[in-house]
């Protein structure tokens, strides 16, 4: 029951984080930065004050990580092997074809 609940929360958090990331404007979002304009130097610079969307994205990303680790731990405990526990039954012995097997070669010292 707990596993299913965490899976549902994980899926919801995934959709929320996708929406939040798509709502945010990139750092180099202006058209001039796409063609090497003067604003492109700020792409790797400081972020400035964090926005509400940025804080929400951070919180949802943390929730995503927590649910991911929880699912990994719980699924490891639930896992059963896809291989059967017992060995498969041996195949039936092949019937002789009618031709006699060749006689073994004599070893040295044997008459």
């Amino acid at each position: 029951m707990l596993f299913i609940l965490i899976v549902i929360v994980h899926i919801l958090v995934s959709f929320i984080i996708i929406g939040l990331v798509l709502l945010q404007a990139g750092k180099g979002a202006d058209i001039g930065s796409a063609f090497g304009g003067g604003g492109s130097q700020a792409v790797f610079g400081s972020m400035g004050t964090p926005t509400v969307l940025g804080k929400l994205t951070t919180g949802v990303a943390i929730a995503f990580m927590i649910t991911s680790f929880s699912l990994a731990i719980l699924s490891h405990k639930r896992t059963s092997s896809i291989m059967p526990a017992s060995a498969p039954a041996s195949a039936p012995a092949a019937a002789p074809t009618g031709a006699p097997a060749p006689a073994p070669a004599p070893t040295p010292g044997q008459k």
Side-chain angles (χ1 to χ4, degrees):
M1 181 67 183
L2 178 66
F3 185 79
I4 295 172
L5 179 69
I6 294 177
V7 168
I8 292 170
V9 170
H10 187 71
I11 292 171
L12 290 174
V13 166
S14 300
F15 286 130
I16 291 170
I17 199 167
I18 289 170
L20 286 173
V21 168
L22 290 176
L23 284 174
Q24 295 179 22
K27 286 185 185 179
D30 53 346
I31 192 71
S33 67
F35 299 107
S40 65
Q41 295 298 323
V43 172
F44 297 110
S46 78
M47 282 194 54
T49 58
T51 62
V52 174
L53 281 177
K55 290 180 181 179
L56 280 174
T57 304
T58 302
V60 174
I62 291 171
F64 181 82
M65 293 294 290
I66 291 171
T67 57
S68 295
F69 285 129
S70 300
L71 287 173
I73 291 170
L74 290 175
S75 67
H76 179 68
K77 291 180 182 177
R78 291 174 47 122
T79 303
S80 61
S81 176
I82 60 170
M83 300 297 292
S86 63
S90 62
T97 59
T107 58
Q110 223 181 17
K111 291 188 180 186

